[in-house]
Amino acid sequence: MKLPTSPPDLATRPIGVFDSGIGGLTVARAVAQVLPHERLVYFGDTAHLPYGDKSTAAIQAYAVKICDLLLRQQCKVILIACNSASAAAYELVREYVGSKAQVLNVIDPIVAHVGRQYAGRTVGLIGTKQTVNSNVYKKKVDDLDAGVDLRSLATPLLAPMIEEGFFNDTIASNVIETYLSNPALEGVEALVLACTHYPLIKEQIAEFYQGRTEVLDASDVVAQHVRQYLESRQLLAPAVAAPPRHHFYVSDFTRSFEESTRIFFGQEVNLEHYPLWE
């Protein structure tokens, strides 16, 4: 069945991306690499990070406020680039946004990928308390009926540690080793990094496993999903000579955050302070 053609001006509108902090920049960077002509509007809710230890109701309240801003920026797609927010607020956000924009999350593409690539195998998953306790990955993977034995472990220290710049050092290595040695992850053939912060410590995680376990960086999987989604709906931005100017907002501004964004996004970015409740 042929999908209806979108109005031409719709394709030129930006992609909105949001996360509790800078973790979602790993997804935004992957999207920018796969879709170099797309303009991104990013919102890091730094005033309320990390989302992983917040209640579902709190995350939903933050998500709705952020979507108001992204809708004002006329985003054609809103990507919830946070596993905790995807688990807690995706359905609500989709209902709230309605027909004003398409809403995507980071969980569904990863679940589909796991079902395709790891049918009949044992797969580990690490994420925040909110993501793991929601059981959303387990439910969705089980619904695929692909024989995947998913074993999840909450690793709550990792996201705040990364936000504070502790990666690539002995502190990070010790914490990572302690978590990955947990019996819950014993014998897994692949490990899903179910938090957008975790790609920054992918090397240390891979080092721990020494080739025994495949480490899945979800940001690449999500970026490919966004590309396919836009293609199928004829929403791809037309190619232009000048690179698009991305816009970055944060709900609480700190100098260290600005420095961290360079590491996460891989290039210089200018942050604009936009408090959610003022």
Side-chain angles (χ1 to χ4, degrees):
M1 187 181 84
K2 195 172 185 293
L3 289 164
T5 306
S6 301
D9 67 315
L10 198 58
T12 62
R13 293 181 187 178
I15 297 172
V17 184
F18 78 88
D19 179 48
S20 63
I22 46 181
L25 285 169
T26 60
V27 176
R29 181 180 61 188
V31 169
Q33 285 167 347
V34 169
L35 295 164
H37 301 297
E38 298 292 341
R39 185 163 54 93
L40 304 181
V41 178
Y42 183 86
F43 191 96
D45 190 10
T46 44
H48 303 112
L49 64 85
Y51 278 2
D53 58 9
K54 299 289 188 297
S55 70
T56 297
I59 295 170
Q60 289 176 343
Y62 306 149
V64 163
K65 292 289 282 184
I66 293 164
C67 286
D68 283 338
L69 169 67
L70 297 178
L71 289 173
R72 282 202 296 277
Q73 298 288 322
Q74 293 197 307
C75 293
K76 59 186 174 187
V77 167
I78 293 175
L79 171 61
I80 306 176
C82 170
N83 283 266
S84 300
S86 292
Y90 171 62
E91 296 298 342
L92 177 86
V93 163
R94 214 168 55 151
E95 200 178 309
Y96 181 76
V97 168
S99 60
K100 296 176 197 148
Q102 304 298 315
V103 181
L104 303 177
N105 65 63
V106 291
I107 293 173
D108 290 333
I110 301 163
V111 168
H113 181 81
V114 167
R116 282 193 306 269
Q117 300 295 320
Y118 305 106
R121 294 161 74 183
T122 303
V123 176
L125 178 144
I126 55 173
T128 65
K129 283 180 185 172
Q130 167 68 234
T131 299
V132 171
N133 293 344
S134 73
N135 220 21
V136 64
Y137 272 101
K138 180 104 178 90
K139 286 178 198 154
K140 285 177 180 279
V141 166
D142 287 351
D143 284 347
L144 295 176
D145 208 15
V148 176
D149 177 13
L150 187 69
R151 300 178 183 176
S152 304
L153 179 72
T155 51
L157 288 178
L158 293 183
M161 179 183 80
I162 294 165
E163 285 276 355
E164 292 297 330
F166 290 100
F167 44 90
N168 258 342
D169 57 22
T170 52
I171 294 173
S173 298
N174 290 340
V175 175
I176 291 163
E177 193 173 323
T178 302
Y179 278 137
L180 299 184
S181 302
N182 191 294
L185 298 176
E186 201 174 319
V188 297
E189 297 168 71
L191 184 74
V192 178
L193 306 183
C195 173
T196 50
H197 289 71
Y198 297 177
L200 280 191
I201 52 170
K202 184 183 176 182
E203 276 179 35
Q204 288 107 304
I205 292 171
E207 220 170 88
F208 173 86
Y209 284 116
Q210 297 188 320
R212 298 187 310 274
T213 298
E214 194 178 336
V215 182
L216 177 60
D217 179 348
S219 55
D220 296 331
V221 175
V222 172
Q224 289 298 338
H225 172 70
V226 173
R227 182 180 63 78
Q228 289 159 7
Y229 185 88
L230 293 179
E231 273 178 356
S232 69
R233 282 156 181 79
Q234 297 180 309
L235 282 173
L236 283 172
V240 286
R245 285 177 62 86
H246 306 309
H247 209 124
F248 299 87
Y249 294 97
V250 286
S251 53
D252 186 31
F253 182 84
T254 64
R255 185 62 55 198
S256 65
F257 182 87
E258 191 166 40
E259 286 161 15
S260 297
T261 54
R262 283 200 293 275
I263 298 164
F264 269 80
F265 201 71
Q267 66 184 65
E268 194 79 34
V269 300
N270 294 314
L271 300 175
E272 187 174 326
H273 183 211
Y274 185 92
L276 285 184
W277 272 279
E278 274 181 32

